[in-house]
Amino acid sequence: EPEVTQTPSHQVTQMGQEVILRCVPISNHLYFYWYRQILGQKVEFLVSFYNNEISEKSEIFDDQFSVERPDGSNFTLKIRSTKLEDSAMYFCASSRTGVPRETQYFGPGTRLLVL
Amino acid sequence: KNEVEQSPQNLTAQEGEFITINCSYSVGISALHWLQQHPGGGIVSLFMLSSGKKKHGRLIATINIQEKHSSLHITASHPRDSAVYICAVEEDSNYQLIWGAGTKLIIKP
């Protein structure tokens, strides 16, 4: 069964460093999402992406964050200058369509620790 | 902005018991999702509902749009059902999923 994959599974970085989290969505899916979950807290929506542009973004998704689909298979989340509070689990998801809404399929997550 | 509330926060039951987890939300939605988060963190979509009822194996999800309420039921619960069950809603006005805090379910053998 097709699945969403994410790399790396864990990343440790120093505050102020740039990180790139990678996701490979399911191949025939057109809508892509990033979510984060700070330890012990709710999952939060970051951004949705369709047709090579951002569809929606939350207040969390500020200028420090960017997303890209560089090559037709990967979907990346870049954090330019990491802060301690960026430590969280980051989940990528994809869906075949966005309207009407369909089930989102989630990757296993990347656990980011900023020191 | 929608507030998504789940109850109970924690639920411990014996194997075989019928389980009900509740979710309420505050403003109009286009769809409601039930998801399962395993201890390792992975998230699996269980259901997406916009009306009525859906069933998949031992899991049943219902939604009452007028009352802004949904329930997830597990029949004949099993220890492998132990996980965090999360309700998330999509508002009419945007495509962002707003997540509840989750219900941590433990099924004892």
Side-chain angles (χ1 to χ4, degrees):
Chain A
E1 187 175 324
E3 57 183 20
V4 177
T5 59
Q6 289 186 243
T7 54
S9 58
H10 295 77
Q11 177 140 8
V12 181
T13 190
Q14 294 289 326
M15 190 170 59
Q17 295 296 304
E18 174 183 285
V19 295
I20 297 176
L21 309 183
R22 291 183 168 79
C23 169
V24 179
I26 293 173
S27 62
N28 63 345
H29 285 191
L30 301 177
Y31 285 79
F32 315 115
Y33 313 85
W34 282 103
Y35 297 90
R36 80 171 184 192
Q37 186 177 32
I38 295 170
L39 189 63
Q41 296 188 21
K42 295 181 183 184
V43 177
E44 300 170 291
F45 169 82
L46 292 177
V47 66
S48 62
F49 190 86
Y50 169 71
N51 200 25
N52 282 320
E53 60 183 30
I54 290 173
S55 304
E56 296 271 349
K57 60 181 182 179
S58 70
E59 295 167 354
I60 303 166
F61 194 87
D62 61 20
D63 292 343
Q64 291 287 88
F65 292 91
S66 63
V67 288
E68 196 177 32
R69 188 154 161 81
D71 58 14
S73 62
N74 288 283
F75 178 51
T76 61
L77 175 70
K78 183 192 288 186
I79 309 174
R80 284 191 186 81
S81 177
T82 49
K83 303 188 280 281
L84 296 176
E85 54 266 37
D86 294 326
S87 295
M89 181 78 105
Y90 289 81
F91 293 102
C92 171
S94 69
S95 62
R96 196 167 60 88
T97 69
V99 179
R101 184 66 76 181
E102 287 200 354
T103 297
Q104 294 183 27
Y105 294 83
F106 289 82
T110 293
R111 191 173 296 280
L112 176 65
L113 178 62
V114 182
L115 301 175
Chain B
K1 187 174 176 176
N2 235 323
E3 296 294 329
V4 179
E5 301 289 338
Q6 286 186 237
S7 63
Q9 284 185 307
N10 294 282
L11 178 56
T12 299
Q14 289 296 129
E15 183 174 356
E17 286 189 41
F18 181 80
I19 303 299
T20 296
I21 298 170
N22 297 298
C23 174
S24 61
Y25 52 92
S26 52
V27 300
I29 64 170
S30 57
L32 181 143
H33 299 246
W34 281 102
L35 308 107
Q36 181 190 55
Q37 186 168 30
H38 295 287
I43 295 174
V44 176
S45 287
L46 300 174
F47 294 104
M48 186 181 63
L49 294 164
S50 53
S51 64
K53 177 178 172 177
K54 285 190 176 179
K55 185 175 190 291
H56 185 252
R58 294 181 294 105
L59 300 178
I60 303 166
T62 63
I63 188 168
N64 185 318
I65 297 292
Q66 286 73 32
E67 294 187 4
K68 297 186 171 61
H69 180 268
S70 175
S71 293
L72 176 69
H73 306 285
I74 305 175
T75 61
S77 59
H78 190 277
R80 64 175 174 265
D81 297 327
S82 299
V84 176
Y85 291 84
I86 307 173
C87 166
V89 302
E90 297 176 36
E91 293 181 332
D92 287 336
S93 55
N94 62 54
Y95 301 129
Q96 301 182 25
L97 268 185
I98 300 172
W99 299 63
T103 294
K104 184 174 181 180
L105 175 66
I106 297 172
I107 303 296
K108 293 186 174 179

